[in-house]
Amino acid sequence: MKAEKNKVLAVSYELHVDDGENGKEFFEKVEKDKPFQFLFGTGHVLPALEAAIEGKAAGESFEVFIDFENAYGDYDESKKAIVPKSNFKDNGKKNADMLKVGKVIPMKDDQGNQLRGEITKIDYKGVHMDFNSPLAGLDLYFKGEIISIREADPEEIDHGHVHGPGGHQH
């Protein structure tokens, strides 16, 4: 079976990044025993990464360089915001576990789009958040292997993402 649209792929990889000043640096490793799974061709993976994997079979390796413009774009100062502390209350009380510098919180914008924001500072003005990808402004170097490929379930195709063991997981 080959990597193509509506197939579920499991891949292991090592990712190095380059900010253009300090050279290539290790960023993360996804091991074979806990691979990254995704539904091929649904836009949830960088197009250049999918292009490097397309047509390959389980057991084959891949390697790809993706410049920042074709990855997560440049770092954008306009994606920083100060959110009122009152937005982080749980049943009317401050959620101390949530309000920590470095914590990444799933949120929605005013159009209902999913966002992930990192808390960078908390002060009298509110909660300072950065909605840039942690990979914004970085060139990416992926080197990995396709661990497995399977047919996607109709429900996975309908939802546009992989479901975990036993069904629907988000």
Side-chain angles (χ1 to χ4, degrees):
M1 190 174 298
K2 301 283 185 189
E4 60 188 15
K5 186 166 177 62
N6 293 331
K7 301 285 193 245
V8 174
L9 273 67
V11 299
S12 64
Y13 64 84
E14 193 165 295
L15 173 61
H16 288 80
V17 299
D18 188 342
D19 66 3
E21 294 177 16
N22 299 310
K24 249 200 290 195
E25 295 179 356
F26 174 80
F27 185 80
E28 75 177 349
K29 183 171 187 167
V30 174
E31 301 286 349
K32 290 181 180 183
D33 61 340
K34 291 186 181 170
F36 170 64
Q37 294 187 58
F38 66 99
L39 183 57
F40 196 92
T42 56
H44 294 295
V45 175
L46 294 169
L49 180 57
E50 277 198 347
I53 295 172
E54 189 168 17
K56 293 189 181 291
E60 289 191 68
S61 61
F62 61 90
E63 193 168 342
V64 63
F65 163 77
I66 307 171
D67 66 38
F68 74 92
E69 291 172 327
N70 291 302
Y72 293 94
D74 213 346
Y75 189 85
D76 184 351
E77 286 292 329
S78 73
K79 291 184 177 178
K80 293 168 101 177
I82 300 174
V83 180
K85 290 179 191 174
S86 61
N87 288 17
F88 297 91
K89 288 188 176 178
D90 212 6
N91 295 324
K93 294 183 180 180
K94 177 179 152 186
N95 187 334
D97 290 335
M98 187 182 295
L99 288 177
K100 292 186 176 160
V101 172
K103 183 103 173 164
V104 177
I105 301 171
M107 302 181 84
K108 289 183 181 179
D109 66 13
D110 50 0
Q111 282 93 38
N113 298 312
Q114 295 285 336
L115 301 171
R116 291 169 42 98
E118 179 181 356
I119 297 175
T120 58
K121 180 172 146 183
I122 302 168
D123 63 14
Y124 70 95
K125 294 178 184 176
V127 180
H128 298 248
M129 300 192 73
D130 186 347
F131 292 97
N132 281 287
S133 164
L135 296 171
L138 301 173
D139 293 333
L140 311 178
Y141 300 85
F142 285 94
K143 184 174 186 175
E145 181 183 341
I146 300 170
I147 305 305
S148 67
I149 301 174
R150 69 169 172 81
E151 295 288 343
D153 296 331
E155 187 179 12
E156 290 174 317
I157 294 169
D158 187 47
H159 290 187
H161 60 256
V162 176
H163 293 172
H168 201 167
Q169 296 174 344
H170 285 271

